[in-house]
Every structure is written in C-alpha cells, then in structure tokens.
Amino acid sequence: MAQPIEARNISFEYETAAGPVLAVKDVSFSVGDAEFLCVLGPSGCGKTTILNMLAGFLTATRGEILIGSKPVTGQGQDRGVVFQDFAQLFPWRTARRNVEFGLEMRRVPEAERRDTALKFLQLVKLEKFADAYPHELSGGMQQRVAIARALAYNPGVLLMDEPFAALDAMTREEMQKLVTEVWQETRKTIVYVTHNVAEAVYLADQILVLAAHPGTVRAQLKLDLPRPRDPLSTEFVAMQREVLRHLTH
Ligand SMILES: Nc1ncnc2c1ncn2[C@@H]1O[C@H](COP(=O)(O)OP(=O)(O)OP(=O)(O)O)[C@@H](O)[C@H]1O
Ligand SMILES: [Mg+2]
C-alpha cells in the first residue's frame, strides 16, 4: 500500500558551534498516494535535511509531517530510504543478503526471505548478481541493490537522496528509466531529491522547487507529460525551461 505524505510548515535548525543555522524554513507540500515527487534545488537548500525529516532521522524544529495521515515521530518500516553514497550496503554481505536484511529484522523465515530478495533483485535486473559482494559491483549496480533492499520489506513510501548523482550520464539515464519502471510496477509514493532539472522533469508527477539559505518553497509544479518521456521532445524541453524559470527567479 502506498501512502500520501503531507508536510505542514516544517522548519529545521542545526545547532553548530557558531550558533543555530536555519536550514529549512516553513516548507509545506503534499504528495498523493503512489505519486512521484521530485525535490529540486541548488546545493545547500535543505533537500537532504527535508528527506531526513521524512525518514525520521531528524525531527522538524517546527511544523509536522504526516505519512498516511499519521504524524512522523521517528524511523519506521513504512519508509524505505536510498542514499547517494555507494557505501550504504553491508560490504560483508552478498547482494541477496543485503536485500534480505530488513526481512531478517522482521524475522521472516529464510526461504521466504530468499524468494523476496530474488524477486526484488530481478526487478532491478540484478538476479544474476545475487551472490556478488558490493565491491564486485559497479556504482550503479550497488545503487540498484540499495533500491531492492529499500523495497524488499514493502514500505508504502520510498525516499531517495540523489541516488545516481555520482554516476556517469549514460548510466544515470538507464537508472532513471529503471526507477520509472520500478515505480510503475510497485506503485510506491516516491520522494526523490535531485539538483538536476532534466532528471526531475523525466521522473516526476510533481516538482517541489526550493530556494536556498534558508530552504524555502519557490513552487510546487505539476507535470502532465505522458510516460515514457522523451527528453528531446518539445514538451519536455518547454517543461525544463519552465522549471528553470522558477529555479532562477
Ligand atoms: N550537520 C549539519 N550541521 C550544521 N549545518 C548543516 C548540517 N547539515 C547541513 N547543514 C546546513 O543546512 C543547509 C542545508 O543542507 P542540506 O544538506 O539539507 O542541503 P542539500 O540541499 O541537500 O545540499 P546538496 O545538494 O549539496 O546535497 C546547508 O546550508 C548547510 O549549511
Ligand atoms: Mg543533499
């Protein structure tokens, strides 16, 4: 079951040696059930901070977040998280055993764990690499394992923080296509952080455009382009221009 998300006037202040730093100010947005939201903005505008609040790793200094109409009070298995860092997998576990991790925590029996893990590895096209260790996989493959792991315990919401930012452009395009397929197959509510306009226009139903210092909402834009989207089409380019206009004004 996917779940809707609502953020109501959330702010976040970091405590630093030099005093408090207001990173996110009065941000509100909503994401419908099984919708794909991209959070877009320049470096330092608070994207990761917002994602960490959604994940429950950070608690909003003000405001509240509702997931499936329940307030977020901490981490939970209703949300799967994928980070930018390739080193998020357990290096001592194979791809399959990485995907099984959350299921082990839930004490799912071994045979069922194995089947579920293989199913999700297949979804991210890595079934042939089930027994490989992270260091034997490319960056893109490791990120696909991380996605499979986040999906394996069937959360309603998938949170992704620039998962493909460190990949080369060609691999990144392949990964974007794969994420669209995975989303269409699993119908999760997705919040995907990026600073790349073309990526947001390729992926999103809605784009939350942020301004920096402190992070505030510039616009929440709806995209009606049919999928699969063609980055070379006139509509795509026009939408990119529109998003850029909001980003830079
Ligand atoms: N641990 C921290 N302590 C103090 N200030 C922080 C901390 N983490 C982030 N900040 C500040 O909060 C602001 C938002 O940071 P955040 O990491 O959320 O931005 P971002 O949009 O994810 O940036 P990037 O695109 O570079 O990943 C930044 O201006 C940064 O200075
Ligand atoms: Mg970030």
Side-chain angles (χ1 to χ4, degrees), residues 33-246:
D33 201 346
E35 252 186 353
F36 200 127
L37 177 84
C38 279
V39 178
L40 177 73
S43 181
C45 74
K47 301 181 296 295
T48 296
T49 306
I50 291 173
L51 204 84
N52 283 337
M53 287 191 275
L54 293 173
F57 301 143
L58 294 175
T59 307
T61 325
R62 304 177 71 170
E64 69 170 348
I65 298 170
L66 302 173
I67 294 189
S69 68
K70 278 205 308 257
V72 169
T73 54
Q75 299 171 41
Q77 293 224 326
D78 56 338
R79 283 151 284 158
V81 188
V82 180
F83 301 98
Q84 175 174 354
D85 191 357
F86 291 171
Q88 64 193 295
L89 300 175
F90 301 113
W92 59 87
R93 285 177 170 242
T94 62
R96 176 174 64 77
R97 299 262 298 127
N98 262 286
V99 180
E100 282 184 30
F101 180 75
L103 304 168
E104 279 172 35
M105 296 291 106
R106 267 196 197 166
R107 304 197 185 286
V108 173
E110 195 181 336
E112 189 183 331
R113 256 178 12 221
R114 197 191 170 89
D115 287 351
T116 307
L118 290 175
K119 183 179 105 186
F120 283 100
L121 282 172
Q122 194 169 10
L123 187 69
V124 295
K125 304 187 166 60
L126 279 182
E127 65 277 19
K128 292 203 182 82
F129 294 88
D131 296 321
Y133 286 88
H135 72 90
E136 297 169 319
L137 302 172
S138 71
M141 291 159 100
Q142 291 180 45
Q143 291 306 73
R144 276 141 72 190
V145 176
I147 292 171
R149 181 174 66 179
L151 290 170
Y153 54 85
N154 199 23
V157 171
L158 186 60
L159 305 170
M160 295 198 262
D161 191 358
E162 310 215 36
F164 310 128
L167 299 175
D168 63 89
M170 229 157 74
T171 313
R172 196 159 63 223
E173 272 173 32
E174 270 172 41
M175 293 299 109
Q176 290 162 2
K177 214 183 264 171
L178 184 88
V179 164
T180 307
E181 285 167 21
V182 165
W183 170 69
Q184 285 173 331
E185 184 89 7
T186 60
R187 306 307 297 176
K188 306 288 175 198
T189 304
I190 295 187
V191 178
Y192 185 108
V193 163
T194 180
H195 60 258
N196 184 312
V197 175
E199 179 166 71
V201 173
Y202 184 79
L203 292 171
D205 289 323
Q206 295 204 55
I207 302 179
L208 187 72
V209 183
L210 299 178
H213 307 300
T216 46
V217 177
R218 277 239 164 91
Q220 183 166 356
L221 308 171
K222 253 191 171 334
L223 281 75
D224 300 321
L225 303 176
R227 292 182 174 90
R229 292 177 179 165
D230 174 5
L232 298 178
S233 69
T234 339
E235 305 79 41
F236 193 99
V237 175
M239 193 67 217
Q240 260 184 292
R241 202 170 289 136
E242 156 104 10
V243 173
L244 259 177
R245 191 170 59 76
H246 285 277

